[in-house]
Amino acid sequence: MVAAAVLSCLCLGSGVAVAGDGWGQPKPGSDGAGDSYYPQDGNGGYDVADYNLKVGYDPASHQLTGNQNIAARATQSLSSFNLDLHGLTVDSVRVDRRAAAFSRSGDHELVITPSRSLRRGQNFTVEIAYHGVPAPISDPSLGNNGWQYTKAGGAFVAGEPKSATTWYPVNDTPLDKATFHLAFTVPDVWGVIANGRERGTFKGNGGTTHVWAEETPIAPYMTTVAVDKWTFDRRTRADGTPIVSAFAPGVPDSAKQAEARLPEILDFLESKFGKYPIDAAGGIFLNEEIGFSLETMSRPIYSAGWAGTIPVIVHENAHQWYGDSVAVQHWRDVCLNECFASYAEWLWDEAKEGVDLNTEYADAVKKAPTKFWNGKLYGMGPGNEFSYVYSKGPLMLHALRNYIGQHAFDFVLKTWPTLRRDGNASMQDFQRYTEFVAHRSLKGFFDAWVYGAGRPADQYLFPGGLKP
């Protein structure tokens, strides 16, 4: 009895201390995650742990019905909080199994007011029923993003920086990664592919339900689903990682032959970047011309016309380390994704094709106009993220390789994704780590190549074995 009384007092005392130490008065969570380029994307006040999504979709009518179950934790005391959702009609919301009030604001804010406020640190669930005809988000540079339709009647999801909000409610920021579970029901004649590992197919209720699970924490824009009359190719890596690739009708044999080299590509990238950080692999090969291919986690999605090329497959799978496992802190840091995936193509050419990268670098520098040098690799502004990171980015990394030396550069490439696995990072984080490995300040180099504009001074443009 004495022990029980002491324990009771300790618990009560602890509760009072926590309450006075930060539970605070419940307030609405912020309607944005604070990115300077897209300040209204994402939301504050909570962290999502898992999305569990059940979707029914009719390709003939384009009608989608969804039931979303979100597991999350409050990071502040919440009187209300937001999710992001473009279009679609919300039918009901429950928080911790109790009916919750909800409203829509702006072009994508779903504002939820639970019947009881949530205290800081509390785990909670959100159940959302919704329906409608999904529509893409138009991007002036990349065209349509998110849910898109194929000429043959299927559908797929691809887009960056926005995508997921077009088909399910989400905290749409790379800062809030979560596991992703999907049960997607379509008429029997259609197939479905998504992120992660296959968990089975089940017939009934007028269709077939295809179950996929991505257990590696994933940023929302990297989630995908694609509906078509696929031809599937299933293999396993030597380490047991399942490889599932899907080819739409009409995809040429060249794409299938290129994807057949995926185990070799992953082995090569693993030799450069460390152990493969994702729980599955493969690819989604469309027979549609879209403005890009995309590194959707574990299963990149490829546009027709680009899918049969090894460099594109190398690029998108390099992102599984640089961009997917280690995601950006803010969109101004996108060079940490694209500069490295683009340089992976150079590394492949060097190792597999015998290309002299110093010669390739010298030729590119010689031909580069003033406009090229003024293109920014950091702080490029919203809408300009996906430009010079593909061309100037690999030049910067090759110069860095020569500036700090081969040994230090290789060590950084391989250990950075391991140290930051499943997290987020900024360009400043990468600079500090590279300086730590190189045992020297790299301020001049990063100012010349990354943060500034204009042609770098010769000491940074032609370091080491590089010659003017």
Side-chain angles (χ1 to χ4, degrees):
M1 290 177 63
V2 171
V6 170
L7 181 60
S8 176
C9 289
L10 286 173
C11 291
L12 287 171
S14 175
V16 171
V18 171
D21 225 10
W23 279 8
Q25 187 70 23
K27 299 185 298 184
S30 65
D31 63 354
D35 190 280
S36 59
Y37 291 2
Y38 306 100
Q40 298 305 117
D41 287 1
N43 307 280
Y46 63 93
D47 284 327
V48 175
D50 179 69
Y51 295 101
N52 194 322
L53 181 58
K54 295 178 174 61
V55 171
Y57 178 67
D58 177 28
S61 65
H62 296 172
Q63 280 289 332
L64 179 149
T65 58
N67 286 278
Q68 171 78 294
N69 194 314
I70 300 171
R73 180 180 60 85
T75 58
Q76 68 171 74
S77 292
L78 290 168
S79 58
S80 66
F81 59 92
N82 290 22
L83 287 162
D84 302 301
L85 181 66
H86 277 272
L88 303 175
T89 299
V90 176
D91 301 309
S92 65
V93 177
R94 294 166 62 88
V95 176
D96 285 340
R97 300 183 179 179
R98 298 183 181 92
F102 62 91
S103 61
R104 307 296 288 270
S105 174
D107 69 346
H108 67 269
E109 299 290 347
L110 170 60
V111 184
I112 297 172
T113 303
S115 61
R116 298 180 182 177
S117 296
L118 304 170
R119 67 181 183 275
R120 185 172 69 87
Q122 178 180 339
N123 294 321
F124 65 98
T125 60
V126 187
E127 300 166 69
I128 305 169
Y130 63 100
H131 74 278
V133 175
I137 301 166
S138 179
D139 183 278
S141 301
L142 298 177
N144 287 335
N145 280 260
W147 190 279
Q148 301 175 58
Y149 299 97
T150 72
K151 294 185 289 290
F156 62 93
V157 179
E160 185 182 15
K162 304 171 190 290
S163 176
T165 59
T166 61
W167 66 294
Y168 67 94
V170 62
N171 190 19
D172 194 20
T173 170
L175 293 172
D176 196 1
K177 295 182 176 184
T179 53
F180 184 73
H181 295 85
L182 176 66
F184 201 96
T185 303
V186 290
D188 293 340
V189 296
W190 295 94
V192 173
I193 189 165
N195 307 91
R197 298 190 178 207
E198 293 180 283
R199 297 300 192 204
T201 58
F202 308 93
K203 288 186 179 292
N205 298 321
T208 302
T209 300
H210 305 260
V211 182
W212 293 84
E214 180 54 84
E215 303 293 354
T216 304
I218 183 171
Y221 78 90
M222 296 172 193
T223 61
T224 191
V225 68
V227 179
D228 213 318
K229 297 175 182 177
W230 304 107
T231 298
F232 286 93
D233 178 59
R234 294 176 172 87
R235 284 171 288 163
T236 304
R237 287 191 74 204
D239 66 358
T241 302
I243 300 175
V244 181
S245 298
F247 304 90
V251 168
D253 288 343
S254 59
K256 299 174 184 178
Q257 292 161 4
E259 180 71 351
R261 296 183 68 181
L262 182 58
E264 176 192 359
I265 291 169
L266 292 177
D267 288 347
F268 171 76
L269 293 173
E270 206 168 55
S271 75
K272 298 295 183 181
F273 301 152
K275 183 173 175 56
Y276 183 62
I278 315 298
D279 61 351
I284 302 170
F285 291 80
L286 305 174
N287 193 19
E288 303 291 322
E289 291 278 359
I290 58 176
F292 53 90
S293 293
L294 185 66
E295 62 272 19
T296 39
M297 181 179 277
S298 71
R299 200 147 287 115
I301 193 163
Y302 298 100
S303 169
W306 297 354
T309 64
I310 292 294
V312 175
I313 296 176
V314 170
H315 181 108
E316 303 305 341
N317 281 282
H319 274 307
Q320 305 304 307
W321 286 262
Y322 284 90
D324 289 22
S325 178
V326 186
V328 294
Q329 189 83 16
H330 300 285
W331 284 106
R332 61 176 176 261
D333 299 308
V334 75
C335 180
L336 291 177
N337 297 7
E338 300 300 345
C339 296
F340 288 83
S342 298
Y343 193 61
E345 299 177 49
W346 282 43
L347 294 173
W348 175 270
D349 287 344
E350 179 182 45
K352 301 292 186 175
E353 307 296 336
V355 173
D356 185 327
L357 295 188
N358 287 355
T359 300
E360 184 165 334
Y361 176 92
D363 290 345
V365 167
K366 184 178 181 180
K367 296 173 184 176
T370 300
K371 181 180 178 182
F372 176 89
W373 295 116
N374 288 334
K376 300 195 71 175
L377 297 180
Y378 177 83
M380 60 288 288
N384 300 314
E385 303 96 306
F386 307 103
S387 53
Y388 291 96
V389 289
Y390 300 101
S391 53
K392 188 178 175 183
L395 290 184
M396 178 273 290
L397 286 172
H398 194 66
L400 180 63
R401 172 178 171 178
N402 283 269
Y403 192 73
I404 66 174
Q406 187 71 53
H407 177 74
F409 184 77
D410 288 346
F411 188 85
V412 168
L413 278 193
K414 183 168 281 190
T415 56
W416 169 259
T418 300
L419 291 171
R420 292 281 179 166
R421 183 170 179 168
D422 296 337
N424 300 79
S426 69
M427 181 57 75
Q428 290 77 20
D429 294 329
F430 178 76
Q431 178 185 340
R432 284 189 291 269
Y433 181 64
T434 307
E435 289 175 331
F436 171 78
V437 172
H439 303 294
R440 60 191 290 196
S441 170
L442 299 175
K443 182 179 185 303
F445 182 93
F446 275 79
D447 285 348
W449 271 103
V450 178
Y451 305 128
R455 182 183 170 105
D458 281 0
Q459 70 186 101
Y460 305 120
L461 191 60
F462 299 112
L466 299 177
K467 302 296 181 184

